[in-house]
Amino acid sequence: MSSRFQHHGHVVRVAVLFAAGFLTFLVARAWLIPADFGVYGFYRAGALDAVRAQPIKYAGQTPCLDCHAEVDELRQTERHRNVSCEACHGPSAAHVEDFSIAPATLDPRALCLRCHTALAGKPDFMPQIVPADHFEDAACTECHAPHAPKQ
């Protein structure tokens, strides 16, 4: 009479393969994941120091308005009142610390089209245009004032 477990070799081979794969996974995980990972949940604790070491690029809106109050007054009457200065003018921390460093030169057409190109998912309250139908090569600032576009 033959035993029920006579052909168990294939099960043992699969179990050994599974164990080898699991052991490989554990070794790779220990080698690839930093020791400080998971200290603050699903984050690496050293990332906080790495971020702190990066130079500050954005100054925020307050330093802009300290020198450019007239622009803010004009902007408050228009739809761009909730748009931060650096959203259009780029990072300005270097300019705030040293006024001889000019902010980046802007390409008004590319800048305006980032927000105002017609797309189906955009909210209805945001003016949208089809660039090819709306003065295709002209700069937006030829007809619209950037801080008060309705004027």
Side-chain angles (χ1 to χ4, degrees):
M1 186 165 161
S2 65
S3 171
R4 261 173 64 178
F5 301 106
Q6 178 180 348
H7 302 290
H8 66 282
H10 62 284
V11 174
V12 171
R13 282 190 296 273
V14 169
V16 168
L17 248 153
F18 178 77
F22 188 67
L23 185 62
T24 303
F25 165 75
L26 291 177
V27 169
R29 184 179 187 278
W31 184 63
L32 294 173
I33 296 179
D36 63 347
F37 180 78
V39 173
Y40 297 116
F42 201 69
Y43 300 98
R44 187 175 58 84
L48 296 174
D49 295 329
V51 170
R52 277 190 206 108
Q54 292 180 356
I56 294 174
K57 293 181 182 179
Y58 291 92
Q61 193 158 314
T62 305
C64 300
L65 302 182
D66 288 345
C67 295
H68 304 283
E70 73 286 348
V71 172
D72 187 47
E73 289 173 17
L74 176 64
R75 205 175 51 140
Q76 291 305 318
T77 63
E78 294 291 331
R79 291 183 175 180
H80 284 167
R81 70 180 152 270
N82 293 327
V83 178
S84 169
C85 301
E86 292 174 310
C88 298
H89 293 279
S92 299
H95 174 66
V96 169
E97 290 191 19
D98 181 3
F99 296 127
S100 67
I101 299 173
T105 304
L106 303 176
D107 175 8
R109 183 152 182 87
L111 188 64
C112 298
L113 292 179
R114 263 192 334 201
C115 295
H116 295 291
T117 299
L119 292 173
K122 286 192 180 170
D124 292 335
F125 67 84
M126 182 176 285
Q128 301 175 42
I129 64 163
V130 176
D133 298 342
H134 192 85
F135 295 100
E136 62 184 63
D137 290 332
C140 302
T141 53
E142 289 181 23
C143 300
H144 304 279
H147 299 113
K150 288 284 185 180
Q151 291 184 354

